[in-house]
Amino acid sequence: MKKIAIFISAICILCGSYSCSDMLETDSERQVFDPQLNDKTDSLFYAIGILQGLQQLADQYVYQGEMRGDLVKTTVYTDNNLRQLANFSATTANRYDSAYVYYRVINNCNYYIAHRDTTLRTGSDLVVMKEYAAIKAIRAWAYMQLARTYGKVPFFTQPLTKISDIDNSQFPELNLSGIVDRLAPDLEQYTTYPTPTAANTYPAGSAITYSKLFIPVDVVLGDMYLETEQFSKAAQHYITYLTEVANDNQRHTAWLMPYMGNGRVIYLDQIPSDFDYSNFNTRGAGLWQTIFSTIGDEYITYIPMATNSQRGLTTSLPKTFGYDYYSTDLTGNSRYIDEIQIQPSEGYVALSEAQPFYYLSTASTASTTVINASTLGDQRYTGITHTTTDDESDSITVWITKYNTARVALYRNTTVLLHLAEAFNRLGMYDAAFAILKDGISTGLFAANYLSDATLQKLQTTYPLLSDANMSKFNTELFMYGVHCHGTGYANDAVSNVYNPGLSPYQMADIVGKKMAEIGTTFNVNVGTTAADSINAVEDLLCDEYALEFAFEGNRFNDLMRLARHKNAAGTYSANFGGQWLAKKLAYKQPTVALEEESNWYLPFK
């Protein structure tokens, strides 16, 4: 309990005064030192304070998730705190090991929840309920991060305002399952709630989208259930979000990458001679790499960091990846610096380059469409890197460009779709999971020859994405793109809103079969043709897709731990296959602990 006590005086249960230039400051001149939370305006000011708490944890969230994952490597410039995270030697002295930053958010959420008057109305509308539900969702998310990071953590839902509140209490220490058991039943009453909006809250030019600073309740519930092996509940909440909360542009994932990006150059002699340039760049809703430069419909939740130190809390993330975002020198590539601390791992680069790229061939005719495969690799890698080659030394330098802006993504549309695929897979609907990779969620799936009748039936009933009531929400060409299309082109079987089964070389039997063979060789296990073998293989495909899609966004180690727990629970190849699987992925980092043991996955609690 003494470990919690250190943050009480710093919190003082309220967020203090706002800097007059803080990017999360409202236009009001009022300072809320002791908010009563009993009128319609208090809630907004206090919610802003909670969001400021998220800014304080943003960098740590990314560093913990990526440095302990398999997608990055250290350099000679890497800060020792980051190096310790990477080799699993971090102690409580590590700069990026702080439970305090999460408990600060939790305690302020507790105060809001305990004191907010939820009966206030404008006409018949309960005006604060969306915000009230959103604050509970933030608290659940913060507790989920604590349990992911530390295993078991002290749990309390009453607001703590003085040291005696701690001295006189015996808080239980709960793991992730215990936290879900405590918080999920209460959150269930807010299912279908959208995130709150606030008109004219911020000064002109602040680029803040208020509704995207919160996490939808159904997305949090989906993740809580996914983490604790409650796959049916997880799938149902992701579907509720997609069908009842998200707007039309938040349901699809039609973002495409052109055949060459702004990073590693693809030379013309690598482009197949039959590559049809005329029909590629017009596909989809936009180019995948552009979603990171603006806040558009792909973002569900993000943490906005200040664009300069005079406007609030800044982020160290861009500079750590080699980009001096806060430099005043805007000429050419001057912001790219030599002191890169985090670079892509060889494994991540190899995974990207191993992906076949699928393209529309000029051999196509009015009656025949031809999709071929090439060795160009997954172009998401080129879209989030900036690369230079030194001709004299023949050396290549790679900068990661996802953090060339001052924002941290927590959830994107694609997060929900891939998490839904993960849940479907563990429910035995591995063909539906593969569909999200290949063809997306659309009415075109009725013609897909790799989906079983049982799966199609469930997609219309138990998991009603394609029910009569919801079918119209997924019936345009924008929905006929799987997530894998983001970096590999025509992995789907649809061209110009026409679904043609078997059109693309990216087919379930071949792709899953190759993954099965890879698993058998890598882990020296006997991979058969049972449903359990297919589920494990598709889960590994999803793990690859998480890497290709979400690299460097802070999710990676959490994804690896969750999938490893799934594998252990299933026991398909051994009771600790998940631990062996995770340890093998991270062996290149020469960790200081045995990662086969789950107890070594967690940081020391501070």
Side-chain angles (χ1 to χ4, degrees), residues 112-420:
Y112 176 100
I113 293 164
H115 292 85
R116 187 58 175 129
D117 182 356
T118 60
T119 64
L120 298 174
R121 294 177 180 271
T122 296
S124 61
D125 184 29
L126 290 169
V127 296
V128 303
M129 288 308 295
K130 291 178 184 177
E131 211 158 62
Y132 188 74
I135 298 301
K136 286 191 171 184
I138 287 177
R139 181 177 67 178
W141 178 86
Y143 264 127
M144 185 163 54
Q145 304 317 308
L146 281 172
R148 283 168 163 172
T149 304
Y150 300 108
K152 284 188 176 183
V153 295
F155 179 86
F156 54 94
T157 56
Q158 71 270 35
L160 307 181
T161 60
K162 51 188 180 297
I163 298 299
S164 60
D165 289 343
I166 297 175
D167 293 339
N168 299 327
S169 300
Q170 294 295 321
F171 300 119
E173 290 196 354
L174 302 182
N175 61 12
L176 195 50
S177 293
I179 287 170
V180 171
D181 288 344
R182 291 289 190 95
L183 295 180
D186 176 65
L187 275 179
E188 286 283 2
Q189 65 184 304
Y190 307 108
T191 184
T192 74
Y193 272 48
T195 53
T197 58
N200 303 318
T201 303
Y202 300 102
S206 63
I208 297 292
T209 305
Y210 188 73
S211 63
K212 294 181 183 293
L213 306 185
F214 298 93
I215 309 168
V217 169
D218 286 290
V219 172
V220 172
L221 280 168
D223 273 12
M224 293 172 81
Y225 291 132
L226 188 66
E227 290 278 357
T228 54
E229 318 286 324
Q230 300 180 71
F231 300 117
S232 184
K233 287 184 177 180
Q236 288 165 351
H237 279 287
Y238 293 136
I239 291 169
T240 296
Y241 170 77
L242 289 169
T243 59
E244 299 187 49
V245 180
N247 63 40
D248 287 344
N249 289 330
Q250 292 171 326
R251 296 187 183 104
H252 68 70
T253 182
W255 313 106
L256 298 185
M257 174 63 69
Y259 69 92
M260 65 175 66
N262 63 340
R264 178 172 54 92
V265 175
I266 297 176
Y267 296 99
L268 291 178
D269 61 2
Q270 294 179 274
I271 305 295
S273 60
D274 64 335
F275 191 102
D276 187 348
Y277 298 87
S278 63
N279 285 294
F280 193 80
N281 289 336
T282 58
R283 300 180 71 219
L287 301 183
W288 179 81
Q289 76 270 31
T290 63
I291 65 179
F292 303 105
S293 59
T294 59
I295 293 297
D297 286 321
E298 169 66 9
Y299 278 84
I300 296 174
T301 310
Y302 74 103
I303 300 174
M305 305 303 290
T307 53
N308 58 64
S309 58
Q310 285 72 43
R311 299 199 63 210
L313 191 64
T314 57
T315 174
S316 65
L317 291 169
K319 200 167 186 178
T320 309
F321 288 107
Y323 183 79
D324 191 355
Y325 174 76
Y326 296 105
S327 171
T328 57
D329 186 352
L330 304 180
T331 59
N333 290 324
S334 60
R335 288 190 175 186
Y336 291 102
I337 59 177
D338 294 331
E339 297 80 10
I340 305 171
Q341 297 189 53
I342 305 175
Q343 287 199 311
S345 69
E346 282 79 4
Y348 164 69
V349 176
L351 173 67
S352 297
E353 293 182 342
Q355 304 304 310
F357 187 88
Y358 307 100
Y359 63 94
L360 189 66
S361 171
T362 54
S364 300
T365 65
S367 59
T368 304
T369 299
V370 178
I371 304 293
N372 286 329
S374 72
T375 58
L376 296 179
D378 192 298
Q379 293 304 296
R380 280 170 286 194
Y381 170 64
T382 69
I384 58 168
T385 55
H386 174 77
T387 304
T388 62
T389 302
D390 187 320
D391 293 331
E392 292 185 4
S393 63
D394 198 30
S395 62
I396 297 176
T397 304
V398 179
W399 291 266
I400 297 166
T401 60
K402 269 192 177 178
Y403 291 101
N404 285 14
T405 60
R407 67 178 69 96
V408 175
L410 295 184
Y411 286 98
R412 301 198 269 118
N413 297 339
T414 311
T415 315
V416 172
L417 290 167
L418 286 181
H419 283 189
L420 175 60

Side-chain angles (χ1 to χ4, degrees), residues 429 446 452-464 466:
M429 299 166 59
F446 286 111
S452 69
D453 291 341
T455 290
L456 277 175
Q457 179 67 22
K458 288 179 181 177
L459 290 177
Q460 297 172 77
T461 54
T462 311
Y463 308 107
L466 300 180

Side-chain angles (χ1 to χ4, degrees), residues 72-90:
V72 303
K73 66 179 181 180
T74 58
T75 74
V76 295
Y77 300 109
T78 304
D79 175 88
N80 196 45
N81 292 281
L82 298 177
R83 197 179 303 278
Q84 290 171 355
L85 288 176
N87 65 19
F88 292 83
S89 66

Side-chain angles (χ1 to χ4, degrees), residues 16-31:
S17 60
Y18 304 114
S19 164
C20 63
S21 58
D22 196 304
M23 68 183 299
L24 282 178
E25 180 193 12
T26 68
D27 283 335
S28 171
E29 296 179 356
R30 179 181 180 187
Q31 290 182 331

